[in-house]
Amino acid sequence: MFAILQYGFMQRAFAAGIFIGIIAPIIGTYLVTRRYSLMADTLSHIALAGVAIGFLAGLQPLVTAIIVSVLGAVGIEYLRMRRAAQSESLLALFLSGSLALAVVLMSLAHNLNTSVLSYLFGSITTVSASDLWLIGSLGLIVLLVVIIARRPLFLLSLDEELATSGGIRSSVFNILLVALAAITVSLSMRIVGILLIGALMVIPVLTAMQLSGSFRRTTILAVLLSLFSVLTGLVLSYQWNLPSGGTIVLVALALFLGSLALKKKY
């Protein structure tokens, strides 16, 4: 196993995977607790539109994906707070609309090729040194912000009305949470892929919920399960020449099925 670390692209993939394996389930825990799991999938499709804009404009796709997904997340939350439509309807609207926009823009840019596939499904060979620096720096910022704002985010996840009555500015922290989720989704697409990052943010959390009761223990266990899924998936994808994103999610899914069997047995 350690022999694969002699390759630079695998070193970058493991380093990026560790960052993603930590922050994805942390953000996912808040989203799942709030019954907002589909937000991750919606943001991933918005990020795909950002990638398409990057290809069309000749810019770094990862940077444009972050910008567009954060703007989309803020837009969704703003419309939700204004009660322009129900949350599920807003997510469906942004998901389908951003996917349609991404397809049109990529057709105009003539980039419906293997480079796009690496963003859709993840690829361990495409993580560059600049990608790693961006993933590491922004990932650390996301982690620090969550640590600082963990109390209001936790209270809002449990009961938004109660948290608001207690003096917490729900609008500010709701926007903060979806913005952090958007950044996490965008950072994850090089390893897991845009179409699969939602699964990595949700499945380890659901698995941890089968085995733990408290929010804190669930978050810690979800991070450990996510890291195991990411690292194991990267090794298997390298050895068997498989898409890294799909392999990682399948490992996470196997752990979830195992947790169901363990819970049923005991």
Side-chain angles (χ1 to χ4, degrees):
M1 172 181 174
F2 294 103
I4 64 177
L5 293 178
Q6 64 181 306
Y7 302 107
F9 72 91
M10 285 304 300
Q11 295 172 6
R12 293 190 294 272
F14 272 100
I18 289 173
F19 279 112
I20 300 306
I22 293 173
I23 63 174
I26 291 177
I27 300 297
T29 304
Y30 291 103
L31 295 180
V32 171
T33 304
R34 297 192 62 176
R35 295 177 176 84
Y36 220 20
S37 301
L38 288 179
M39 173 61 84
D41 285 324
T42 302
L43 291 176
S44 67
H45 286 76
I46 296 175
L48 181 60
V51 170
I53 291 173
F55 280 130
L56 188 62
L59 303 173
Q60 166 62 273
L62 183 55
V63 174
T64 54
I66 293 172
I67 296 172
V68 171
S69 59
V70 169
L71 292 176
V74 173
I76 292 173
E77 191 59 28
Y78 174 77
L79 292 175
R80 187 187 72 85
M81 291 187 296
R82 292 288 300 270
R83 301 186 185 277
Q86 293 184 349
S87 298
E88 296 82 359
S89 301
L90 286 174
L91 294 180
L93 175 67
F94 274 79
L95 189 152
S96 57
S98 57
L99 181 58
L101 177 62
V103 171
V104 171
L105 292 178
M106 286 182 180
S107 298
L108 293 175
H110 305 291
N111 268 308
L112 288 174
N113 50 31
T114 53
S115 63
V116 175
L117 292 178
S118 68
Y119 285 96
L120 291 175
F121 304 107
S123 174
I124 57 178
T125 62
T126 57
V127 181
S128 64
S130 60
D131 288 337
L132 181 57
W133 276 106
L134 187 59
I135 292 171
S137 56
L138 289 182
L140 184 59
I141 291 174
V142 169
L143 185 59
L144 291 175
V145 171
V146 171
I147 291 174
I148 294 171
R150 64 185 183 279
R151 183 177 179 275
L153 290 177
F154 169 70
L155 294 176
L156 283 171
S157 298
L158 291 183
D159 192 323
E160 184 171 348
E161 292 184 0
L162 181 62
T164 302
S165 64
I168 293 177
R169 299 180 63 183
S170 60
S171 59
V172 173
F173 287 100
N174 283 332
I175 291 176
L176 176 64
L177 177 60
V178 295
L180 293 176
I183 295 173
T184 302
V185 165
S186 301
L187 295 179
S188 306
M189 62 187 180
R190 297 301 263 168
I191 294 293
V192 187
I194 288 173
L195 298 182
L196 297 171
I197 177 54
L200 184 64
M201 295 179 73
V202 172
I203 294 178
V205 178
L206 296 178
T207 305
M209 285 181 170
Q210 304 298 318
L211 305 173
S212 178
S214 73
F215 186 90
R216 181 173 178 272
R217 287 197 295 268
T218 296
T219 303
I220 294 174
L221 183 56
V223 170
L224 295 176
L225 292 169
S226 175
L227 285 172
F228 178 84
S229 300
V230 169
L231 298 179
T232 304
L234 288 176
V235 172
L236 294 177
S237 65
Y238 170 79
Q239 292 180 338
W240 294 342
N241 194 27
L242 300 171
S244 58
T247 309
I248 290 169
V249 172
L250 285 177
V251 173
L253 185 59
L255 292 175
F256 174 72
L257 296 176
S259 70
L260 290 179
L262 185 63
K263 184 177 180 180
K264 184 178 180 179
K265 182 178 180 180
Y266 295 99

